[in-house]
Amino acid sequence: MRGKNIIIGICGGIAAYKIPQLVRLLKKRGASVRVALTDAGARFVSELALATVSEEPIYRSIFPQTESEGVDFTSHISLGEWADALVIAPATANTLARLSAGLCDDMLAAIFLTLRPGKPVLIFPAMDGQMFLSPSVQRNIATLAAQGCSIINPESGELASGLCGIGRMPAPEAILLALEEALHEADKCSPLYSKRVVITAGPTREKIDGVRFISNYSSGKMGFAIARAAAKRGSIVTLIAGPVHLPTPPGVERVDVESTAEMNAAAEKFFSNCDLFIGAAAVSDYRPAAPYEGKMKKDEEHIELTLVKNPDILAGFGRQKSASQLAVGFALETRTGLESARKKLTEKNLDLIAFNFFDRKTCGFDVDTNILTLIGSDGIVTELPQLTKDAAAEKLLEAIEHLCLKNGL
Ligand code: CTP
């Protein structure tokens, strides 16, 4: 569950009161949870309770409550992109009908429509037994099952009406178990599942003397987002990080380095036994030829620093990689640098390069969003819009997954 993004849709059934407990269980296991609550659901469980346990705002309507609220109107789309799985519990007859008809009249329905392909949808119908067995409900369930949703039948037992029969939502622990299994299966569907992925990230520092260095503005955010996205797919990830202030993504092995020489030495250890090497680090191309031992004094009016070239880590991997290994890089360029990116793709023998221009406001170094153009060695060019670095990492890994499938890896 660690690092997974889960959306729980809650509809208007008495079992809704059990969902805060499910949210708690998920959060304890390291998942991020967001809740989409239908209007009817809000009559059975409080928004405040759900917001408290999920530590997130609760999503209800696609539209802001008031014009002045300033809610991001596109959140119904970004939530669909964000989610690794959607759980609808309890699912009522009404919501089953809305979803099977493709309606988009509240946040839950919109998320259902915008979820990315391959992401598990688990639906837990819970209602009166006769209602559940009615031909209309069964028809809607069959439609949703045919679309790839997992329908988990309700259990038999005492119902809210006092009757006994089928209709009870499974306990939160059972929902958690079903979700864990579905996510595990979905992970195994990725060609990156159990692949050994090595990622360089962040800047490097080159010593001038004992207290000063040459470096750049890289924050490491892009490389860390890629590591997170790969780990979520079940890859075995090693992240070779320059000096950055970022937490290690869940399930990722991290090797901290400072200089390019250290990053190169750490990377070379994995050259022969990784399946995928992604160079996302902003590596210093040069280093001072002879770093001063102690602290340089400002005695001179002018000083000259002689710099020597550093090894190109990614090109080193590109030179020696086998047919079953993939090399992916970034090309940090000015806005018009697409051709230069293409040149790096060829010269470094890469399978894919992400052309990445920088303005330090919307893309490039030390910002939370990025604008990438992916160029494959097969000539396929994919222009991505401005995305969060997490979303850009997802797109990059989707492109790499296509490459894996194309190359039979
Ligand atoms: N790279 C690397 N080792 C280096 C320099 C770059 O591994 N010494 C990798 C980067 O991680 C990136 C790609 O090569 O994936 C391109 O880096 P970039 O800075 O865009 O280009 P350079 O090759 O350094 O060329 P230039 O600075 O002349 O544009």
Side-chain angles (χ1 to χ4, degrees):
M1 261 322 144
R2 200 158 280 285
K4 296 287 186 191
N5 297 333
I6 311 298
I7 296 185
I8 305 184
I10 309 175
C11 312
I14 182 64
Y17 82 89
K18 296 181 186 167
I19 301 303
Q21 171 66 4
L22 173 63
V23 175
R24 263 236 144 89
L25 291 172
L26 285 164
K27 296 275 295 179
K28 267 198 186 148
R29 279 166 175 72
S32 298
V33 183
R34 294 186 183 169
V35 174
L37 185 62
T38 67
D39 286 346
R43 304 182 72 149
F44 290 92
V45 60
S46 102
E47 230 177 284
L48 184 61
L50 291 163
T52 307
V53 286
S54 67
E55 300 170 272
E56 293 280 350
I58 303 306
Y59 298 91
R60 299 273 304 267
S61 166
I62 297 176
F63 300 101
Q65 298 298 304
T66 59
E67 293 300 319
S68 59
E69 216 175 82
V71 173
D72 174 11
F73 176 65
T74 58
S75 56
H76 60 295
I77 294 157
S78 52
L79 282 169
E81 284 245 317
W82 176 83
D84 293 309
L86 171 63
V87 175
I88 306 177
T92 54
N94 193 47
T95 292
L96 292 171
R98 290 189 301 126
L99 299 185
S100 70
L103 294 189
C104 189
D105 53 354
D106 70 0
M107 198 59 122
L108 172 56
I111 292 167
F112 177 73
L113 293 176
T114 54
L115 203 70
R116 277 174 310 140
K119 300 293 172 187
V121 179
L122 281 78
I123 301 179
F124 292 83
M127 62 196 78
D128 166 70
Q130 212 48 53
M131 195 189 275
F132 174 69
L133 295 170
S134 74
S136 308
V137 169
Q138 288 301 315
R139 184 195 58 221
N140 293 333
I141 284 178
T143 304
L144 292 167
Q147 284 174 219
C149 301
S150 301
I151 313 288
I152 295 88
N153 278 337
E155 295 173 350
S156 288
E158 223 175 90
L159 302 174
S161 58
L163 296 171
C164 230
I166 191 166
R168 285 169 64 92
M169 188 184 82
E173 290 76 8
I175 296 179
L176 177 71
L177 203 64
L179 176 60
E180 275 174 341
E181 278 170 13
L183 283 167
H184 188 59
E185 283 309 307
D187 283 342
K188 279 200 276 186
C189 289
S190 166
L192 290 174
Y193 179 76
S194 83
K195 292 255 173 13
R196 284 153 304 175
V197 178
V198 176
I199 301 160
T200 64
T204 56
R205 283 179 184 172
E206 307 300 340
K207 269 189 184 162
I208 298 172
D209 67 8
V211 291
R212 302 176 180 95
F213 55 81
I214 297 174
S215 191
N216 56 61
Y217 291 114
S218 170
S219 62
K221 285 177 186 166
M222 193 65 235
F224 275 58
I226 297 169
R228 203 162 24 248
K232 273 195 335 199
R233 284 164 164 80
S235 303
I236 303 152
V237 184
T238 304
L239 179 62
I240 304 173
V244 293
H245 303 283
L246 294 173
T248 309
V252 167
E253 185 204 7
R254 174 171 175 171
V255 181
D256 284 309
V257 296
E258 196 169 292
S259 65
T260 302
E262 284 171 16
M263 187 175 273
N264 192 40
E268 276 181 342
K269 286 191 190 140
F270 296 94
F271 275 8
S272 57
N273 67 359
C274 71
D275 300 297
L276 167 64
F277 187 90
I278 304 178
V283 183
S284 301
D285 290 328
Y286 294 90
R287 66 179 185 278
Y292 192 79
E293 280 288 311
K295 183 180 173 231
M296 279 167 71
K297 287 285 176 196
K298 60 172 190 299
D299 298 336
E300 308 294 333
E301 214 43 52
H302 299 281
I303 56 166
E304 278 182 14
L305 205 54
T306 305
L307 303 178
V308 290
K309 211 168 191 174
N310 269 329
D312 190 312
I313 306 168
L314 184 60
F317 177 73
R319 265 195 303 279
Q320 65 116 71
K321 80 184 174 85
S322 69
S324 63
Q325 292 178 303
L326 293 178
V328 174
F330 278 75
L332 189 74
E333 311 284 349
T334 53
R335 198 176 277 265
T336 54
L338 195 67
E339 273 320 304
S340 171
R342 278 207 174 91
K343 211 166 143 226
K344 285 177 191 171
L345 174 80
T346 316
E347 285 178 357
K348 300 192 190 204
N349 190 28
L350 308 181
D351 298 280
L352 186 83
I353 198 157
F355 162 52
N356 189 184
F357 66 87
F358 57 93
D359 60 14
R360 303 207 55 220
K361 285 194 194 84
T362 60
C363 52
F365 281 167
D366 204 18
V367 287
D368 290 326
T369 58
N370 217 347
I371 304 174
L372 302 178
T373 298
L374 309 181
I375 313 166
S377 55
D378 52 8
I380 294 178
V381 176
T382 313
E383 270 184 54
L384 301 177
Q386 182 185 350
L387 294 170
T388 63
K389 285 190 170 168
D390 276 322
E394 283 293 329
K395 295 283 178 206
L396 177 70
L397 287 196
E398 281 167 22
I400 295 172
E401 285 174 330
H402 280 127
L403 272 181
C404 288
L405 294 174
K406 217 168 146 186
N407 296 317
L409 302 174

